[in-house]
Amino acid sequence: MLGPALLSLMAEKNIRKVTIDELAARAGVGRATYFRNFSSKEELLTAYLVRRWRAYEEEHHLKELAFSNPERALRYFEFCLSLRAENDLMIEQGYTDAILAAFETIVSDADLGREGSYEAAFLAYGLYGLFVTWARSGWKETPQELAALVSGSMLGGIVG
């Protein structure tokens, strides 16, 4: 409830001008709820993105797929596109670090055994770079085109 409230306020004004009182009121919670769970608005945005990814990941049974599976890459880009409005707001207002932190969390799952691994760092920063480039260039390519780029041209050339 805090994440959607913050994004709603960001659509009205720059995040730096959003007060915690406004945020709490919009979310229908007390100020203490925010401070009990988050140390910054950026942390709140990261948590929102991770929570949304976890639901999407579960809905599409993505944990059952190897990270190198092309369908997983496709689903990742479809997910990013499904949050286009939210992502555009964060990019426009300079909060891409929240997106990167979410990517780091998503790809370094402890249950996947990649915490602190080079593989996790490569995936997080690589996907983040592609994502930001894609968004800043107006989302011109389809998720299918980006997934093919990742699984074929890029990783295929590096790993193969």
Side-chain angles (χ1 to χ4, degrees):
M1 69 187 131
L2 282 166
L6 179 55
L7 287 159
S8 170
L9 287 164
M10 286 173 67
E12 298 170 15
K13 62 183 174 180
N14 190 286
I15 189 172
R16 289 166 186 81
K17 295 183 182 206
V18 173
T19 68
I20 302 307
D21 287 333
E22 288 175 299
L23 175 58
R26 178 74 55 102
V29 300
R31 285 174 46 92
T33 300
Y34 170 84
F35 288 110
R36 193 173 29 253
N37 294 290
F38 304 103
S39 61
S40 68
K41 293 175 220 169
E42 184 172 310
E43 187 179 309
L44 170 58
L45 290 171
T46 297
Y48 170 78
L49 291 172
V50 170
R51 190 171 40 256
R52 293 287 305 267
W53 171 257
R54 295 291 180 233
Y56 185 87
E57 183 179 54
E58 186 176 321
E59 177 185 340
H60 295 283
H61 310 285
L62 297 180
K63 293 249 184 192
E64 298 167 12
L65 302 174
F67 221 87
S68 58
N69 186 312
E71 183 182 343
R72 194 170 172 109
L74 172 62
R75 295 293 186 177
Y76 163 77
F77 289 113
E78 287 175 345
F79 169 77
C80 291
L81 186 57
S82 76
L83 294 178
R84 180 177 178 169
E86 294 92 330
N87 286 319
D88 283 344
L89 275 173
M90 286 183 268
I91 290 168
E92 178 184 306
Q93 295 187 25
Y95 274 74
T96 57
D97 285 351
I99 298 168
L100 176 57
F103 286 4
E104 289 175 312
T105 300
I106 288 164
V107 302
S108 65
D109 285 342
D111 61 331
L112 296 178
R114 284 197 300 272
E115 269 184 312
S117 73
Y118 291 117
E119 177 191 30
F122 175 78
L123 289 169
Y125 285 82
L127 290 173
Y128 167 76
L130 283 172
F131 161 75
V132 169
T133 302
W134 183 36
R136 286 185 175 153
S137 66
W139 307 85
K140 293 176 186 156
E141 297 80 9
T142 66
Q144 293 80 1
E145 290 171 317
L146 285 168
L149 180 68
V150 168
S151 60
S153 304
M154 293 185 170
L155 291 180
I158 294 170
V159 179

